[in-house]
Amino acid sequence: MKRNSKKYTISIICRLLKISRQGYYEFLHRKPSKRELHHEYLIKEIKRIYKEHKGRYGSPRIALQMYMEGIETNKKTIAKLMQKEGLVSIYYKKRKYKKVEKELRDYIRENILERQFKQEKTDKVLVSDITYVPCRDGTLYLTSYIDLSCRMLRSYKISTHMRKSVVIEPLINILKKKNMLGCIIHTDRGSQYRSYEYKELLEKNQIKHSMSKPGTPLDNAVIESFYKTVKVELINPNKNKTKAEMKVLLRNYLEDYYPKKRIHTSLGMTPYKYEQILLSNS
């Protein structure tokens, strides 16, 4: 009786919403989108900062602190999420925060790479980006730096957050091994890459920073293609794995299989082998 009653209720709902029962069940069981996952992460960080400052921070200050921590966001999104969660600063009143907004947009660089993805010399142009890695018990974030000349993965970091350290630490690891003087690093305009610490690290090592134009993923097509490969071959088939299990799989794939065993179609051989040829000819 209860089961029939439930079916009847669902039928009424579908009729009122003018949708099919199949569409209703697909909606119930659909997986969260990339945007929804990011908003879940932002809400968690908003609550952390709000609690840390005992409710004194409104959306502009929370957005600024997130920016300083390297978390991709903006004041408008934070305001909407805070309103959704019922979080209001104890000092709330209408004010203009032009200075805050200026600081959030402050560090932007031109696209000097201009999609010149074919490079002949190693360690001259690197591309970088961050991607989501869904797991059974949450989300990981993968940051990668790829050498355009041979498609070798120079460094990477697997994180449980998206603060600025996710792009700074793997770059520091590269700088410990290589002299990148005069190198170009191309990225998108994410707040992690716009942080003052990242800017200072590049300037200290005389590295040029190139940024994609807004809404143009083709400006960084090589690393977009790399992440598509990683997702199809490793991440998507293993979404049921825990974060700990996924980290092991990623390390094995990124450090051994992708550079040394997998033939790269544009190179006709593995990235490692192609790099050896470039070095022997230099």
Side-chain angles (χ1 to χ4, degrees):
M1 184 69 184
K2 289 183 179 179
R3 186 178 300 175
N4 293 336
S5 177
K6 183 177 180 180
K7 287 183 177 179
Y8 177 74
T9 303
I10 291 173
S11 297
I12 295 297
I13 292 173
C14 291
R15 203 176 306 155
L16 290 172
L17 296 177
K18 296 181 180 180
I19 59 174
S20 66
R21 291 184 67 174
Q22 181 182 353
Y24 173 78
Y25 285 115
E26 285 178 355
F27 172 78
L28 286 181
H29 297 96
R30 73 181 178 88
K31 295 179 180 179
S33 66
K34 181 178 178 180
R35 182 181 180 182
E36 287 170 337
L37 288 171
H38 186 52
H39 280 188
E40 286 179 12
Y41 171 75
L42 287 179
I43 288 171
K44 181 181 176 182
E45 294 298 309
I46 288 169
K47 289 181 176 179
R48 172 181 64 81
I49 296 171
Y50 186 82
K51 183 177 179 180
E52 179 183 325
H53 293 278
K54 304 184 186 302
R56 301 184 184 104
Y57 275 15
S59 57
R61 290 185 183 277
I62 289 179
L64 182 57
Q65 179 163 332
M66 283 189 171
Y67 169 72
M68 298 301 290
E69 292 180 5
I71 299 174
E72 179 64 34
T73 186
N74 60 69
K75 184 172 74 71
K76 188 176 180 180
T77 299
I78 297 303
K80 286 183 178 180
L81 293 177
M82 287 184 70
Q83 185 178 18
K84 177 183 175 183
E85 295 297 314
L87 300 177
V88 181
S89 167
I90 59 176
Y91 298 117
Y92 173 75
K93 61 179 179 179
K94 291 185 178 180
R95 296 168 61 183
K96 294 182 179 180
Y97 287 92
K98 292 183 180 179
K99 183 178 179 181
V100 171
E101 292 176 356
K102 180 180 180 300
E103 290 180 15
L104 288 172
R105 300 191 304 263
D106 193 37
Y107 182 61
I108 297 294
R109 289 293 178 262
E110 295 299 318
N111 183 355
I112 59 176
L113 180 60
E114 291 292 348
R115 304 187 187 181
Q116 298 175 54
F117 301 132
K118 189 173 181 180
Q119 300 290 326
E120 302 297 332
K121 295 183 179 180
T122 61
D123 304 318
K124 293 300 179 183
V125 182
L126 304 183
V127 292
S128 180
D129 197 5
I130 308 169
T131 194
Y132 293 81
V133 182
C135 304
R136 189 174 73 204
D137 54 349
T139 305
L140 293 172
Y141 304 93
L142 172 64
T143 305
S144 304
Y145 283 85
I146 292 178
D147 189 323
L148 281 186
S149 66
C150 53
R151 304 302 196 261
M152 277 290 288
L153 183 64
R154 292 300 183 209
S155 186
Y156 71 91
K157 182 175 177 61
I158 305 168
S159 312
T160 56
H161 59 80
M162 291 183 68
R163 292 189 282 275
K164 59 192 173 186
S165 60
V166 302
V167 300
I168 293 174
E169 290 178 8
L171 178 55
I172 289 175
N173 290 336
I174 296 174
L175 295 171
K176 288 178 180 177
K177 303 173 187 176
K178 296 178 177 289
N179 177 11
M180 305 301 291
L181 185 69
C183 164
I184 295 173
I185 292 182
H186 183 85
T187 71
D188 61 18
R189 298 189 177 192
S191 61
Q192 297 88 347
Y193 296 109
R194 301 197 319 265
S195 67
Y196 294 116
E197 288 80 359
Y198 193 75
K199 173 186 175 183
E200 290 174 0
L201 182 61
L202 295 182
E203 291 179 348
K204 179 181 177 182
N205 291 276
Q206 298 182 45
I207 296 172
K208 300 173 184 176
H209 196 181
S210 172
M211 286 183 170
S212 299
K213 295 176 183 177
T216 52
L218 286 177
D219 285 350
N220 212 357
V222 170
I223 201 159
E224 293 285 348
S225 176
F226 167 73
Y227 279 144
K228 181 179 178 181
T229 298
V230 177
K231 288 183 177 181
V232 170
E233 296 185 357
L234 180 76
I235 296 173
N236 292 344
N238 292 285
K239 286 182 178 179
N240 63 325
K241 300 294 185 183
T242 64
K243 291 180 184 178
E245 291 170 330
M246 184 66 83
K247 285 181 181 179
V248 174
L249 291 174
L250 281 170
R251 290 189 183 108
N252 290 337
Y253 185 93
L254 298 173
E255 295 177 13
D256 183 50
Y257 179 74
Y258 186 86
K260 299 177 181 178
K261 297 177 181 178
R262 184 185 184 280
I263 294 175
H264 198 291
T265 52
S266 68
L267 304 176
M269 61 189 75
T270 66
Y272 177 79
K273 188 173 182 180
Y274 193 79
E275 180 185 32
Q276 299 308 305
I277 292 174
L278 289 179
L279 291 174
S280 64
N281 293 336
S282 60

